[in-house]
Amino acid sequence: MSRWLQSATLVAIILLAGAVSPAKAQWGNCPPGYKSAAGACVRSCPGGYEDRGSYCAYRNEGN
């Protein structure tokens, strides 16, 4: 593996780890203004999730 590719890979891993770590949620352990959705702290529920106050519940619309 070339030295440039190793460096680029290392930078990508560091950036991804930094982006994921602060948003990582434990159940009910999000800061004020955030809610838990699929293991992450978010300000608003993503598509397919229902807002239930402090957390977002997945809506199964397949049935």
Side-chain angles (χ1 to χ4, degrees):
M1 187 180 280
S2 73
R3 189 160 188 85
W4 180 87
L5 187 56
Q6 288 176 339
S7 297
T9 303
L10 180 61
V11 168
I13 290 171
I14 291 170
L15 290 175
L16 287 173
V20 173
S21 295
K24 196 173 185 180
Q26 294 179 355
W27 183 253
N29 199 18
C30 291
Y34 288 84
K35 49 191 88 196
S36 178
C41 292
V42 296
R43 286 198 182 266
S44 61
C45 296
Y49 284 81
E50 180 181 342
D51 190 340
R52 298 217 176 143
S54 64
Y55 69 98
C56 302
Y58 179 71
R59 286 184 290 185
N60 185 359
E61 297 177 4
N63 293 334

